Amino acid sequence: MSGSMFRLAPPLFILVFGIIFLTWSYSYDESAQQVPVLVGWSLVVLCVLDVIASSGTKIGDGVKAFFTGTIVGEGSFDLSSQPLPKVLVAMAWPIAFVPCVYFFGFVLVIPFYVFLFVTLQGKNPVKTGAIAAVIATAFTWIVFELLMNYDVYQGIIFAE
């Protein structure tokens, strides 16, 4: 796979996924689609920026520099430093999240997802993963259920 295709494959794949998610979000009734549509549009906009940043063009390099900045001592981008298995694993996390939420709902999936991501992918201690899971779940529940009075999606298995 050529260097430019290697750089563009993940953001293009996630962009297609985001467009599908956004389209699917519009199938919900007006009240239920508010948050999924917001998330979908956010994902699409961020993915478009990621595609541009990964393009290797002058504009892309400018977008990349704007959002990531330059880390002191940062080496040049080396394709061999990002082997395909690592890229696929990184892509698997958000891809696995969606079907899990579809079946089990946000409130059940978020703590497991965050815990596993922080401990396995982030290689952080179990305590850190547990704290992150509790904070993310509490934040989701408080913001959407309490403050916005929005019924958080419960998944098809636990739907009332």
Side-chain angles (χ1 to χ4, degrees), residues 50-100:
D50 196 16
V51 168
I52 293 168
S54 299
S55 67
T57 63
K58 282 188 176 192
I59 293 173
D61 292 343
V63 169
K64 183 177 179 182
F66 178 78
F67 285 104
T68 61
T70 302
I71 299 171
V72 175
E74 180 179 359
S76 63
F77 181 74
D78 180 9
L79 290 176
S80 65
S81 70
Q82 300 295 325
L84 185 58
K86 281 188 174 185
V87 171
L88 294 176
V89 167
M91 290 172 57
W93 283 100
I95 291 169
F97 181 75
V98 173
C100 288

Short mmCIF file of all heavy atoms in Angstrom, two decimals, residues 50-100:
data_model
loop_
_atom_site.label_atom_id
_atom_site.label_comp_id
_atom_site.label_asym_id
_atom_site.label_seq_id
_atom_site.Cartn_x
_atom_site.Cartn_y
_atom_site.Cartn_z
N ASP A 50 -9.60 15.23 9.48
CA ASP A 50 -8.57 14.20 9.56
C ASP A 50 -8.12 13.76 8.17
O ASP A 50 -6.94 13.54 7.93
CB ASP A 50 -9.08 13.01 10.37
CG ASP A 50 -7.96 12.09 10.82
OD1 ASP A 50 -6.78 12.49 10.79
OD2 ASP A 50 -8.28 10.95 11.22
N VAL A 51 -9.06 13.64 7.24
CA VAL A 51 -8.71 13.28 5.86
C VAL A 51 -7.82 14.36 5.27
O VAL A 51 -6.79 14.06 4.66
CB VAL A 51 -9.97 13.05 4.99
CG1 VAL A 51 -9.62 12.98 3.52
CG2 VAL A 51 -10.71 11.79 5.43
N ILE A 52 -8.20 15.61 5.47
CA ILE A 52 -7.39 16.72 4.95
C ILE A 52 -6.00 16.70 5.59
O ILE A 52 -4.98 16.82 4.90
CB ILE A 52 -8.09 18.08 5.18
CG1 ILE A 52 -9.36 18.15 4.35
CG2 ILE A 52 -7.15 19.24 4.86
CD1 ILE A 52 -10.27 19.32 4.72
N ALA A 53 -5.96 16.51 6.93
CA ALA A 53 -4.68 16.50 7.64
C ALA A 53 -3.80 15.33 7.22
O ALA A 53 -2.58 15.41 7.27
CB ALA A 53 -4.92 16.46 9.14
N SER A 54 -4.41 14.23 6.79
CA SER A 54 -3.65 13.04 6.39
C SER A 54 -3.29 13.02 4.91
O SER A 54 -2.64 12.10 4.45
CB SER A 54 -4.47 11.79 6.71
OG SER A 54 -4.73 11.70 8.08
N SER A 55 -3.70 14.05 4.18
CA SER A 55 -3.54 14.06 2.72
C SER A 55 -2.09 14.25 2.26
O SER A 55 -1.76 13.93 1.13
CB SER A 55 -4.41 15.15 2.11
OG SER A 55 -3.94 16.43 2.49
N GLY A 56 -1.26 14.81 3.13
CA GLY A 56 0.13 15.06 2.73
C GLY A 56 0.30 16.29 1.88
O GLY A 56 1.38 16.56 1.35
N THR A 57 -0.76 17.10 1.73
CA THR A 57 -0.70 18.33 0.96
C THR A 57 -0.28 19.48 1.88
O THR A 57 -0.25 19.33 3.10
CB THR A 57 -2.06 18.66 0.33
OG1 THR A 57 -3.01 18.88 1.39
CG2 THR A 57 -2.54 17.53 -0.57
N LYS A 58 -0.01 20.65 1.28
CA LYS A 58 0.33 21.82 2.10
C LYS A 58 -0.83 22.20 3.00
O LYS A 58 -0.63 22.53 4.17
CB LYS A 58 0.72 23.00 1.22
CG LYS A 58 2.12 22.91 0.66
CD LYS A 58 2.50 24.20 -0.03
CE LYS A 58 3.95 24.08 -0.50
NZ LYS A 58 4.48 25.37 -0.92
N ILE A 59 -2.03 22.19 2.45
CA ILE A 59 -3.22 22.51 3.25
C ILE A 59 -3.37 21.47 4.36
O ILE A 59 -3.64 21.81 5.51
CB ILE A 59 -4.49 22.57 2.38
CG1 ILE A 59 -4.40 23.76 1.42
CG2 ILE A 59 -5.74 22.64 3.24
CD1 ILE A 59 -5.51 23.82 0.40
N GLY A 60 -3.19 20.20 4.01
CA GLY A 60 -3.28 19.14 5.00
C GLY A 60 -2.26 19.29 6.11
O GLY A 60 -2.57 19.10 7.29
N ASP A 61 -1.04 19.64 5.73
CA ASP A 61 0.00 19.85 6.74
C ASP A 61 -0.34 21.04 7.64
O ASP A 61 -0.07 21.01 8.84
CB ASP A 61 1.35 20.09 6.06
CG ASP A 61 1.88 18.84 5.36
OD1 ASP A 61 1.37 17.73 5.66
OD2 ASP A 61 2.79 18.98 4.52
N GLY A 62 -0.96 22.07 7.06
CA GLY A 62 -1.39 23.22 7.87
C GLY A 62 -2.48 22.85 8.85
O GLY A 62 -2.44 23.25 10.02
N VAL A 63 -3.46 22.06 8.39
CA VAL A 63 -4.54 21.60 9.27
C VAL A 63 -3.96 20.72 10.38
O VAL A 63 -4.30 20.87 11.56
CB VAL A 63 -5.63 20.85 8.47
CG1 VAL A 63 -6.61 20.15 9.39
CG2 VAL A 63 -6.35 21.81 7.53
N LYS A 64 -3.07 19.83 10.01
CA LYS A 64 -2.44 18.94 10.99
C LYS A 64 -1.66 19.74 12.04
O LYS A 64 -1.77 19.49 13.24
CB LYS A 64 -1.52 17.94 10.30
CG LYS A 64 -0.89 16.94 11.23
CD LYS A 64 -0.05 15.95 10.44
CE LYS A 64 0.62 14.97 11.38
NZ LYS A 64 1.47 14.03 10.65
N ALA A 65 -0.88 20.71 11.57
CA ALA A 65 -0.09 21.53 12.49
C ALA A 65 -1.00 22.35 13.42
O ALA A 65 -0.71 22.51 14.60
CB ALA A 65 0.82 22.47 11.71
N PHE A 66 -2.11 22.84 12.89
CA PHE A 66 -3.05 23.62 13.70
C PHE A 66 -3.62 22.80 14.84
O PHE A 66 -3.72 23.26 15.97
CB PHE A 66 -4.18 24.18 12.83
CG PHE A 66 -5.20 24.95 13.61
CD1 PHE A 66 -4.94 26.26 14.00
CD2 PHE A 66 -6.41 24.37 13.97
CE1 PHE A 66 -5.88 26.97 14.73
CE2 PHE A 66 -7.35 25.09 14.70
CZ PHE A 66 -7.09 26.39 15.08
N PHE A 67 -4.01 21.55 14.55
CA PHE A 67 -4.67 20.73 15.57
C PHE A 67 -3.70 19.95 16.44
O PHE A 67 -4.02 19.62 17.59
CB PHE A 67 -5.66 19.77 14.93
CG PHE A 67 -6.92 20.46 14.49
CD1 PHE A 67 -7.14 20.74 13.16
CD2 PHE A 67 -7.86 20.86 15.41
CE1 PHE A 67 -8.30 21.40 12.75
CE2 PHE A 67 -9.01 21.52 15.03
CZ PHE A 67 -9.24 21.79 13.70
N THR A 68 -2.53 19.61 15.93
CA THR A 68 -1.63 18.79 16.74
C THR A 68 -0.43 19.56 17.23
O THR A 68 0.19 19.16 18.21
CB THR A 68 -1.11 17.58 15.94
OG1 THR A 68 -0.38 18.03 14.80
CG2 THR A 68 -2.24 16.67 15.52
N GLY A 69 -0.09 20.63 16.57
CA GLY A 69 1.10 21.37 16.97
C GLY A 69 2.35 20.55 16.71
O GLY A 69 2.31 19.48 16.11
N THR A 70 3.45 21.04 17.17
CA THR A 70 4.71 20.33 17.02
C THR A 70 5.24 20.01 18.40
O THR A 70 5.37 20.90 19.24
CB THR A 70 5.73 21.19 16.25
OG1 THR A 70 5.17 21.50 14.98
CG2 THR A 70 7.04 20.45 16.07
N ILE A 71 5.53 18.76 18.62
CA ILE A 71 6.07 18.34 19.89
C ILE A 71 7.58 18.47 19.81
O ILE A 71 8.20 18.04 18.83
CB ILE A 71 5.67 16.88 20.19
CG1 ILE A 71 4.15 16.78 20.26
CG2 ILE A 71 6.33 16.38 21.46
CD1 ILE A 71 3.62 15.36 20.35
N VAL A 72 8.19 19.05 20.82
CA VAL A 72 9.63 19.23 20.84
C VAL A 72 10.27 17.85 20.79
O VAL A 72 9.92 16.95 21.55
CB VAL A 72 10.08 20.00 22.10
CG1 VAL A 72 11.60 20.08 22.17
CG2 VAL A 72 9.46 21.37 22.12
N GLY A 73 11.21 17.68 19.86
CA GLY A 73 11.89 16.40 19.72
C GLY A 73 11.12 15.41 18.87
O GLY A 73 11.51 14.25 18.76
N GLU A 74 10.02 15.85 18.27
CA GLU A 74 9.22 14.96 17.45
C GLU A 74 10.00 14.55 16.20
O GLU A 74 10.58 15.39 15.52
CB GLU A 74 7.93 15.68 17.04
CG GLU A 74 7.00 14.86 16.20
CD GLU A 74 5.72 15.61 15.85
OE1 GLU A 74 5.55 16.76 16.27
OE2 GLU A 74 4.90 15.03 15.14
N GLY A 75 10.03 13.27 15.92
CA GLY A 75 10.71 12.76 14.74
C GLY A 75 9.82 12.89 13.52
O GLY A 75 8.64 13.19 13.61
N SER A 76 10.38 12.64 12.38
CA SER A 76 9.58 12.68 11.16
C SER A 76 8.67 11.46 11.11
O SER A 76 8.96 10.43 11.70
CB SER A 76 10.49 12.70 9.94
OG SER A 76 11.24 11.51 9.88
N PHE A 77 7.58 11.59 10.40
CA PHE A 77 6.62 10.50 10.28
C PHE A 77 7.25 9.36 9.49
O PHE A 77 7.74 9.54 8.39
CB PHE A 77 5.34 10.99 9.58
CG PHE A 77 4.31 9.91 9.45
CD1 PHE A 77 3.59 9.51 10.56
CD2 PHE A 77 4.07 9.28 8.24
CE1 PHE A 77 2.63 8.52 10.46
CE2 PHE A 77 3.13 8.29 8.14
CZ PHE A 77 2.40 7.91 9.25
N ASP A 78 7.23 8.20 10.09
CA ASP A 78 7.81 7.01 9.47
C ASP A 78 6.71 5.96 9.37
O ASP A 78 6.17 5.53 10.39
CB ASP A 78 8.97 6.52 10.33
CG ASP A 78 9.64 5.28 9.75
OD1 ASP A 78 9.32 4.90 8.60
OD2 ASP A 78 10.48 4.69 10.45
N LEU A 79 6.35 5.60 8.15
CA LEU A 79 5.28 4.63 7.96
C LEU A 79 5.56 3.30 8.65
O LEU A 79 4.65 2.63 9.10
CB LEU A 79 5.02 4.39 6.47
CG LEU A 79 4.39 5.54 5.71
CD1 LEU A 79 4.27 5.20 4.24
CD2 LEU A 79 3.04 5.89 6.29
N SER A 80 6.82 2.93 8.76
CA SER A 80 7.14 1.66 9.40
C SER A 80 6.90 1.71 10.90
O SER A 80 6.80 0.68 11.55
CB SER A 80 8.59 1.27 9.11
OG SER A 80 9.47 2.20 9.70
N SER A 81 6.80 2.94 11.47
CA SER A 81 6.52 3.05 12.90
C SER A 81 5.05 2.83 13.21
O SER A 81 4.68 2.74 14.36
CB SER A 81 6.97 4.41 13.43
OG SER A 81 6.14 5.42 12.93
N GLN A 82 4.21 2.79 12.20
CA GLN A 82 2.78 2.56 12.37
C GLN A 82 2.38 1.30 11.58
O GLN A 82 1.77 1.39 10.52
CB GLN A 82 1.98 3.76 11.87
CG GLN A 82 2.27 5.05 12.58
CD GLN A 82 1.88 5.00 14.05
OE1 GLN A 82 0.91 4.38 14.42
NE2 GLN A 82 2.67 5.64 14.88
N PRO A 83 2.74 0.11 12.07
CA PRO A 83 2.41 -1.09 11.33
C PRO A 83 0.90 -1.29 11.22
O PRO A 83 0.15 -0.84 12.09
CB PRO A 83 3.07 -2.22 12.13
CG PRO A 83 3.30 -1.65 13.49
CD PRO A 83 3.42 -0.17 13.32
N LEU A 84 0.50 -1.95 10.15
CA LEU A 84 -0.92 -2.15 9.86
C LEU A 84 -1.67 -2.78 11.04
O LEU A 84 -2.78 -2.33 11.34
CB LEU A 84 -1.09 -2.99 8.59
CG LEU A 84 -2.51 -3.19 8.11
CD1 LEU A 84 -3.18 -1.85 7.84
CD2 LEU A 84 -2.53 -4.05 6.86
N PRO A 85 -1.13 -3.77 11.74
CA PRO A 85 -1.89 -4.32 12.88
C PRO A 85 -2.23 -3.27 13.94
O PRO A 85 -3.32 -3.28 14.50
CB PRO A 85 -0.96 -5.40 13.45
CG PRO A 85 -0.13 -5.83 12.30
CD PRO A 85 0.07 -4.58 11.48
N LYS A 86 -1.31 -2.32 14.20
CA LYS A 86 -1.59 -1.27 15.17
C LYS A 86 -2.71 -0.35 14.68
O LYS A 86 -3.57 0.07 15.45
CB LYS A 86 -0.34 -0.45 15.47
CG LYS A 86 0.62 -1.11 16.41
CD LYS A 86 1.73 -0.14 16.78
CE LYS A 86 2.61 -0.75 17.84
NZ LYS A 86 3.62 0.20 18.31
N VAL A 87 -2.68 -0.04 13.40
CA VAL A 87 -3.72 0.81 12.82
C VAL A 87 -5.07 0.10 12.90
O VAL A 87 -6.09 0.70 13.28
CB VAL A 87 -3.38 1.18 11.36
CG1 VAL A 87 -4.55 1.88 10.68
CG2 VAL A 87 -2.13 2.04 11.31
N LEU A 88 -5.09 -1.19 12.60
CA LEU A 88 -6.34 -1.95 12.64
C LEU A 88 -6.89 -2.05 14.07
O LEU A 88 -8.10 -1.94 14.28
CB LEU A 88 -6.14 -3.34 12.04
CG LEU A 88 -5.84 -3.36 10.54
CD1 LEU A 88 -5.56 -4.78 10.07
CD2 LEU A 88 -6.97 -2.73 9.75
N VAL A 89 -6.01 -2.24 15.03
CA VAL A 89 -6.45 -2.28 16.43
C VAL A 89 -7.03 -0.94 16.84
O VAL A 89 -8.08 -0.88 17.49
CB VAL A 89 -5.28 -2.70 17.36
CG1 VAL A 89 -5.63 -2.44 18.82
CG2 VAL A 89 -4.93 -4.16 17.16
N ALA A 90 -6.38 0.15 16.44
CA ALA A 90 -6.89 1.48 16.76
C ALA A 90 -8.25 1.72 16.13
O ALA A 90 -9.13 2.34 16.73
CB ALA A 90 -5.90 2.55 16.31
N MET A 91 -8.45 1.20 14.93
CA MET A 91 -9.74 1.34 14.25
C MET A 91 -10.80 0.43 14.87
O MET A 91 -11.99 0.75 14.86
CB MET A 91 -9.59 1.02 12.76
CG MET A 91 -8.81 2.06 12.00
SD MET A 91 -8.42 1.57 10.30
CE MET A 91 -10.04 1.26 9.63
N ALA A 92 -10.39 -0.69 15.43
CA ALA A 92 -11.34 -1.65 15.99
C ALA A 92 -12.08 -1.11 17.21
O ALA A 92 -13.24 -1.46 17.44
CB ALA A 92 -10.62 -2.95 16.35
N TRP A 93 -11.43 -0.25 17.99
CA TRP A 93 -12.07 0.27 19.20
C TRP A 93 -13.37 1.02 18.90
O TRP A 93 -14.41 0.67 19.45
CB TRP A 93 -11.09 1.15 19.98
CG TRP A 93 -10.09 0.34 20.73
CD1 TRP A 93 -8.80 0.08 20.36
CD2 TRP A 93 -10.29 -0.36 21.97
NE1 TRP A 93 -8.19 -0.73 21.29
CE2 TRP A 93 -9.08 -1.00 22.29
CE3 TRP A 93 -11.37 -0.50 22.83
CZ2 TRP A 93 -8.93 -1.77 23.45
CZ3 TRP A 93 -11.21 -1.25 23.98
CH2 TRP A 93 -10.02 -1.87 24.28
N PRO A 94 -13.37 2.06 18.06
CA PRO A 94 -14.66 2.73 17.81
C PRO A 94 -15.63 1.87 17.01
O PRO A 94 -16.84 1.98 17.18
CB PRO A 94 -14.26 3.99 17.02
CG PRO A 94 -12.90 3.72 16.49
CD PRO A 94 -12.25 2.75 17.41
N ILE A 95 -15.09 1.00 16.15
CA ILE A 95 -15.98 0.13 15.37
C ILE A 95 -16.70 -0.85 16.30
O ILE A 95 -17.88 -1.13 16.13
CB ILE A 95 -15.19 -0.60 14.27
CG1 ILE A 95 -14.74 0.41 13.22
CG2 ILE A 95 -16.02 -1.70 13.64
CD1 ILE A 95 -13.73 -0.14 12.22
N ALA A 96 -16.02 -1.38 17.30
CA ALA A 96 -16.64 -2.31 18.25
C ALA A 96 -17.64 -1.60 19.16
O ALA A 96 -18.62 -2.20 19.61
CB ALA A 96 -15.56 -2.99 19.08
N PHE A 97 -17.40 -0.33 19.44
CA PHE A 97 -18.27 0.43 20.33
C PHE A 97 -19.70 0.51 19.81
O PHE A 97 -20.65 0.32 20.57
CB PHE A 97 -17.69 1.84 20.53
CG PHE A 97 -18.48 2.70 21.46
CD1 PHE A 97 -18.43 2.50 22.82
CD2 PHE A 97 -19.26 3.74 20.97
CE1 PHE A 97 -19.15 3.31 23.69
CE2 PHE A 97 -19.99 4.55 21.83
CZ PHE A 97 -19.93 4.34 23.19
N VAL A 98 -19.86 0.75 18.54
CA VAL A 98 -21.20 0.98 17.98
C VAL A 98 -22.11 -0.25 18.11
O VAL A 98 -23.22 -0.12 18.61
CB VAL A 98 -21.10 1.49 16.53
CG1 VAL A 98 -22.47 1.56 15.88
CG2 VAL A 98 -20.44 2.85 16.51
N PRO A 99 -21.70 -1.44 17.67
CA PRO A 99 -22.61 -2.57 17.84
C PRO A 99 -22.86 -2.91 19.32
O PRO A 99 -23.97 -3.34 19.67
CB PRO A 99 -21.93 -3.73 17.13
CG PRO A 99 -20.56 -3.30 16.83
CD PRO A 99 -20.51 -1.81 16.92
N CYS A 100 -21.87 -2.69 20.17
CA CYS A 100 -22.09 -2.93 21.60
C CYS A 100 -23.18 -2.00 22.13
O CYS A 100 -24.07 -2.42 22.88
CB CYS A 100 -20.79 -2.75 22.38
SG CYS A 100 -19.61 -4.07 22.11
#
